[in-house]
Tab-separated table of all heavy atoms in Angstrom:
chain	number	residue	atom	x	y	z
X	1	ASN	N	98.706	112.948	124.420
X	1	ASN	CA	98.830	111.432	124.330
X	1	ASN	C	100.139	111.018	123.851
X	1	ASN	O	100.188	109.946	123.166
X	1	ASN	CB	97.631	110.962	123.510
X	1	ASN	CG	97.489	109.449	123.627
X	1	ASN	OD1	97.822	108.973	124.682
X	1	ASN	ND2	96.866	108.795	122.655
X	2	THR	N	101.223	111.711	124.189
X	2	THR	CA	102.547	111.351	123.743
X	2	THR	C	103.088	110.281	124.630
X	2	THR	O	103.185	110.433	125.849
X	2	THR	CB	103.400	112.591	123.731
X	2	THR	OG1	102.874	113.517	122.855
X	2	THR	CG2	104.798	112.254	123.152
X	3	GLN	N	103.582	109.163	124.075
X	3	GLN	CA	104.270	108.127	124.839
X	3	GLN	C	105.671	108.534	125.110
X	3	GLN	O	106.374	109.133	124.294
X	3	GLN	CB	104.307	106.876	124.032
X	3	GLN	CG	102.945	106.346	123.652
X	3	GLN	CD	102.181	105.795	124.813
X	3	GLN	OE1	102.757	105.050	125.697
X	3	GLN	NE2	100.938	106.154	124.974
X	4	LEU	N	106.191	108.348	126.328
X	4	LEU	CA	107.496	108.782	126.702
X	4	LEU	C	108.393	107.559	126.487
X	4	LEU	O	108.091	106.412	126.697
X	4	LEU	CB	107.507	109.136	128.155
X	4	LEU	CG	106.733	110.402	128.524
X	4	LEU	CD1	106.846	110.814	129.984
X	4	LEU	CD2	107.157	111.627	127.644
X	5	THR	N	109.674	107.780	126.072
X	5	THR	CA	110.662	106.859	125.976
X	5	THR	C	111.174	106.500	127.282
X	5	THR	O	110.803	107.048	128.318
X	5	THR	CB	111.844	107.380	125.125
X	5	THR	OG1	112.408	108.495	125.705
X	5	THR	CG2	111.257	107.707	123.738
X	6	ASP	N	112.000	105.542	127.403
X	6	ASP	CA	112.615	105.040	128.649
X	6	ASP	C	113.232	106.056	129.550
X	6	ASP	O	113.243	106.070	130.712
X	6	ASP	CB	113.578	103.901	128.461
X	6	ASP	CG	112.964	102.656	127.945
X	6	ASP	OD1	111.684	102.518	128.026
X	6	ASP	OD2	113.625	101.790	127.329
X	7	ASP	N	113.886	107.096	128.883
X	7	ASP	CA	114.527	108.184	129.572
X	7	ASP	C	113.608	109.362	129.744
X	7	ASP	O	114.087	110.512	130.122
X	7	ASP	CB	115.822	108.589	128.894
X	7	ASP	CG	115.554	109.025	127.442
X	7	ASP	OD1	114.398	108.998	127.048
X	7	ASP	OD2	116.653	109.401	126.816
X	8	ASN	N	112.333	109.194	129.565
X	8	ASN	CA	111.314	110.260	129.772
X	8	ASN	C	111.370	111.354	128.813
X	8	ASN	O	110.967	112.470	129.024
X	8	ASN	CB	111.282	110.748	131.202
X	8	ASN	CG	110.743	109.685	132.270
X	8	ASN	OD1	109.946	108.800	131.830
X	8	ASN	ND2	111.196	109.694	133.506
X	9	HIS	N	111.951	111.147	127.685
X	9	HIS	CA	111.993	112.180	126.646
X	9	HIS	C	111.493	111.538	125.364
X	9	HIS	O	112.115	110.579	124.803
X	9	HIS	CB	113.392	112.696	126.447
X	9	HIS	CG	113.926	113.485	127.649
X	9	HIS	ND1	113.492	114.725	127.922
X	9	HIS	CD2	114.902	113.082	128.542
X	9	HIS	CE1	114.187	115.119	128.997
X	9	HIS	NE2	114.988	114.157	129.418
X	10	PRO	N	110.405	112.137	124.716
X	10	PRO	CA	109.909	111.557	123.534
X	10	PRO	C	110.853	111.678	122.429
X	10	PRO	O	111.561	112.753	122.295
X	10	PRO	CB	108.602	112.324	123.231
X	10	PRO	CG	108.291	112.994	124.562
X	10	PRO	CD	109.551	113.232	125.291
X	11	TYR	N	111.049	110.761	121.586
X	11	TYR	CA	111.884	110.767	120.485
X	11	TYR	C	111.302	111.630	119.324
X	11	TYR	O	110.134	111.501	119.037
X	11	TYR	CB	112.264	109.456	119.879
X	11	TYR	CG	113.212	108.588	120.772
X	11	TYR	CD1	112.995	107.183	120.749
X	11	TYR	CD2	114.036	109.216	121.753
X	11	TYR	CE1	113.810	106.376	121.582
X	11	TYR	CE2	114.736	108.373	122.575
X	11	TYR	CZ	114.703	106.953	122.448
X	11	TYR	OH	115.497	106.168	123.294
X	12	ASN	N	112.157	112.444	118.690
X	12	ASN	CA	111.643	113.122	117.368
X	12	ASN	C	111.973	112.142	116.279
X	12	ASN	O	112.769	111.196	116.409
X	12	ASN	CB	112.580	114.417	117.242
X	12	ASN	CG	112.428	115.364	118.411
X	12	ASN	OD1	111.384	115.734	118.779
X	12	ASN	ND2	113.579	115.627	119.007
X	13	VAL	N	111.353	112.475	115.099
X	13	VAL	CA	111.605	111.787	113.951
X	13	VAL	C	112.038	112.662	112.782
X	13	VAL	O	111.298	113.646	112.567
X	13	VAL	CB	110.357	110.891	113.507
X	13	VAL	CG1	110.627	110.288	112.230
X	13	VAL	CG2	110.026	109.806	114.610
X	14	LEU	N	113.047	112.337	112.117
X	14	LEU	CA	113.435	113.023	110.819
X	14	LEU	C	113.375	111.995	109.689
X	14	LEU	O	114.204	110.983	109.690
X	14	LEU	CB	114.786	113.596	110.904
X	14	LEU	CG	115.410	114.267	109.578
X	14	LEU	CD1	114.486	115.426	109.205
X	14	LEU	CD2	116.789	114.780	109.832
X	15	LEU	N	112.457	112.148	108.837
X	15	LEU	CA	112.198	111.199	107.706
X	15	LEU	C	112.653	111.845	106.418
X	15	LEU	O	112.339	112.934	106.104
X	15	LEU	CB	110.666	110.805	107.660
X	15	LEU	CG	110.262	109.817	106.584
X	15	LEU	CD1	109.046	109.111	107.110
X	15	LEU	CD2	109.837	110.643	105.239
X	16	ILE	N	113.663	111.157	105.745
X	16	ILE	CA	114.189	111.647	104.519
X	16	ILE	C	113.917	110.687	103.409
X	16	ILE	O	114.290	109.550	103.459
X	16	ILE	CB	115.725	111.865	104.693
X	16	ILE	CG1	116.044	112.824	105.854
X	16	ILE	CG2	116.363	112.434	103.373
X	16	ILE	CD1	117.549	112.818	106.238
X	17	THR	N	113.276	111.199	102.355
X	17	THR	CA	113.022	110.340	101.184
X	17	THR	C	113.676	110.918	99.920
X	17	THR	O	113.728	112.210	99.809
X	17	THR	CB	111.548	110.089	101.013
X	17	THR	OG1	111.409	109.141	99.916
X	17	THR	CG2	110.712	111.340	100.675
X	18	VAL	N	114.134	110.111	99.062
X	18	VAL	CA	114.834	110.538	97.826
X	18	VAL	C	114.018	109.930	96.643
X	18	VAL	O	113.834	108.726	96.626
X	18	VAL	CB	116.383	110.067	97.886
X	18	VAL	CG1	117.107	110.704	96.746
X	18	VAL	CG2	116.988	110.359	99.201
X	19	ASP	N	113.782	110.814	95.672
X	19	ASP	CA	113.011	110.324	94.532
X	19	ASP	C	113.843	109.596	93.535
X	19	ASP	O	114.870	110.139	93.077
X	19	ASP	CB	112.403	111.633	93.970
X	19	ASP	CG	111.084	111.343	93.190
X	19	ASP	OD1	110.797	110.189	93.035
X	19	ASP	OD2	110.405	112.343	92.748
X	20	ASP	N	113.311	108.492	93.095
X	20	ASP	CA	113.956	107.705	92.003
X	20	ASP	C	115.416	107.278	92.184
X	20	ASP	O	116.107	106.932	91.338
X	20	ASP	CB	113.849	108.546	90.705
X	20	ASP	CG	112.557	108.654	90.090
X	20	ASP	OD1	111.603	108.436	90.746
X	20	ASP	OD2	112.459	108.936	88.858
X	21	LEU	N	115.776	107.099	93.549
X	21	LEU	CA	117.126	106.667	93.867
X	21	LEU	C	117.096	105.097	93.862
X	21	LEU	O	116.379	104.523	94.735
X	21	LEU	CB	117.576	107.170	95.208
X	21	LEU	CG	118.885	106.602	95.664
X	21	LEU	CD1	120.060	106.997	94.708
X	21	LEU	CD2	119.173	107.094	97.122
X	22	ASN	N	117.789	104.454	92.964
X	22	ASN	CA	117.994	103.005	92.997
X	22	ASN	C	118.912	102.599	94.028
X	22	ASN	O	119.224	103.367	94.910
X	22	ASN	CB	118.178	102.479	91.623
X	22	ASN	CG	119.486	102.945	90.945
X	22	ASN	OD1	120.419	103.366	91.706
X	22	ASN	ND2	119.553	102.869	89.665
X	23	ASP	N	119.594	101.492	93.938
X	23	ASP	CA	120.597	101.049	94.920
X	23	ASP	C	121.919	101.481	94.623
X	23	ASP	O	122.909	100.900	95.065
X	23	ASP	CB	120.537	99.478	95.103
X	23	ASP	CG	120.697	98.784	93.785
X	23	ASP	OD1	121.068	99.408	92.705
X	23	ASP	OD2	120.378	97.592	93.697
X	24	TRP	N	122.073	102.628	93.856
X	24	TRP	CA	123.415	103.105	93.526
X	24	TRP	C	123.959	104.014	94.666
X	24	TRP	O	123.972	105.307	94.584
X	24	TRP	CB	123.385	103.890	92.284
X	24	TRP	CG	123.293	103.022	91.058
X	24	TRP	CD1	122.989	101.660	90.941
X	24	TRP	CD2	123.563	103.445	89.640
X	24	TRP	NE1	123.022	101.245	89.724
X	24	TRP	CE2	123.327	102.257	88.872
X	24	TRP	CE3	123.903	104.628	89.080
X	24	TRP	CZ2	123.465	102.246	87.507
X	24	TRP	CZ3	124.030	104.663	87.761
X	24	TRP	CH2	123.865	103.521	86.862
X	25	THR	N	124.181	103.486	95.818
X	25	THR	CA	124.844	104.182	96.916
X	25	THR	C	125.981	103.363	97.351
X	25	THR	O	126.151	102.127	97.141
X	25	THR	CB	123.901	104.366	98.157
X	25	THR	OG1	123.613	103.050	98.695
X	25	THR	CG2	122.525	104.917	97.759
């Protein structure tokens, strides 16, 4: 039941979370 993107290739997802990081970037 995977939806295909416009170019017929499903996008992958890389989710990155950082612990206790305030806006000091």
